[in-house]
Amino acid sequence: MPVKPRIGLFDSGIGGLSVLSACLRQNAAAEYFYYGDNERAPYGSRPPHEIMAFTREAFETFDALGVDAAVIACNTATAVCVEEMRRAFSFPVAGVEPAVASAAKHGSNLLVIATPVTAQSARLRALIERFPDVAVTVYPAHGLAAAVEAHFLRGEALDLSRHLPAARGWDGVVLGCTHYALIRSEIAHFLGAPVYDGAEGTARHVFDLIKAGTGNHFQPREKPNNCLSSNCNQKTGQSVFFLGSGRKSNRKLFDLNICFNFI
Ligand code: DGL
């Protein structure tokens, strides 16, 4: 593994910061490029061809940067196009997977909450079929990812009763969207059950891919054109760069460095 592996993370917005945070816990010395497409978030009800085109734009930036690996830190984009990105780019690509496997170790009556696109996806169906002894209810949490963005970026109040089922009694709740991990304790409290997310597992997976050593090895450009903000701490060795389109809501996120509250 390179001493300072270069890793790209992509999400529709701020949700993937939960994955970046897990990556930083596992390797504080790596160099991270976080591409949050806040301007076009949420993705969760968009048609697949749009999600794929937006993901490809981010991946082209990662490719130009010569990343050693990239993470689709977005369940929706993973469900739609992780295989296409793996085929299209030469660096290893990790996706996020709802943590059904972890939750299934602790109970047999699970709720998976996800965006409408993820909830309907063949990928989620195939994952659930791997656990025939577990009863899994999938709930499309309409509008919840957008509400999480609005809460953190514009200070809007979060009313979970508008997005989540009223039913309780689940052995576990699986967070099928990285945005939900930013309000995990609120969700656990609202549904009265332990919650599981895939951030730690994804972070482990990306470093395994880098160790396997199939990285890009291009000569990278020093800094991408669309870098909005960065936090390089010489003492801790941390280097995180935030990328994106740089307009509207993005500006607030990056100018105010709200992004750093999550990592
Ligand atoms: N954070 C994303 C996910 O994991 C996307 C949410 C959205 O943009 O709708 O699905």
Side-chain angles (χ1 to χ4, degrees):
M1 175 148 92
V3 185
K4 204 170 176 58
R6 180 170 273 206
I7 299 168
L9 294 104
F10 167 67
D11 182 40
S12 64
I14 57 177
L17 293 170
S18 55
V19 181
L20 172 58
S21 172
C23 287
L24 279 163
R25 279 195 293 279
Q26 288 182 33
N27 188 337
E31 190 174 41
Y32 295 99
F33 291 86
Y34 184 89
Y35 190 119
D37 190 14
N38 301 80
E39 180 121 339
R40 297 183 291 202
Y43 281 10
S45 301
R46 284 185 181 273
H49 71 270
E50 275 185 17
I51 296 170
M52 180 135 39
F54 298 163
T55 306
R56 185 178 282 273
E57 279 176 31
F59 269 60
E60 275 159 8
T61 303
F62 294 154
D63 199 23
L65 280 164
V67 294
D68 295 289
V71 187
I72 305 185
C74 172
N75 294 77
T76 307
T78 300
V80 169
C81 61
V82 68
E83 297 307 337
E84 284 78 359
M85 295 306 124
R86 285 185 178 133
R87 277 195 293 275
F89 293 91
S90 61
F91 46 83
V93 177
V96 266
E97 181 160 281
V100 176
S102 310
K105 288 185 195 143
H106 302 281
S108 56
N109 180 29
L110 305 180
L111 175 70
V112 177
I113 52 174
T115 65
V117 167
T118 303
Q120 287 161 16
S121 67
R123 200 177 170 83
L124 179 59
R125 231 181 0 260
L127 172 66
I128 291 169
E129 278 166 10
R130 283 170 31 204
F131 303 90
D133 301 331
V134 179
V136 181
T137 301
V138 177
Y139 188 87
H142 290 274
L144 182 54
V148 171
E149 292 264 325
H151 178 64
F152 288 113
L153 300 182
R154 296 192 291 282
E156 287 178 23
L158 252 184
D159 177 1
L160 291 183
S161 67
R162 295 180 54 199
H163 308 285
L164 295 178
R168 286 177 150 232
W170 314 100
D171 295 332
V173 176
V174 177
L175 306 182
C177 167
T178 51
H179 278 70
Y180 307 164
L182 303 179
I183 52 160
R184 55 180 304 138
S185 47
E186 289 86 343
I187 293 174
H189 183 254
F190 183 85
L191 291 168
V195 298
Y196 299 87
D197 74 77
E200 295 293 336
T202 304
R204 269 195 304 278
H205 183 50
V206 72
F207 290 112
D208 286 346
L209 289 173
I210 293 171
K211 275 186 213 132
T214 49
N216 214 350
H217 311 304
F218 289 159
Q219 195 52 44
R221 281 209 303 262
E222 262 323 291
K223 222 178 178 192
N225 301 331
N226 51 351
C227 183
L228 302 178
S229 177
S230 61
N231 182 1
C232 300
N233 183 329
Q234 278 182 346
K235 235 200 244 153
T236 61
Q238 177 176 295
S239 33
V240 178
F241 297 88
F242 289 95
L243 318 175
S245 63
R247 296 188 294 268
K248 294 185 198 158
S249 56
N250 255 355
R251 283 256 67 98
K252 185 170 175 200
L253 174 69
F254 298 109
D255 288 348
L256 302 182
N257 281 343
I258 294 173
C259 38
F260 293 108
N261 294 340
F262 299 107
I263 61 174

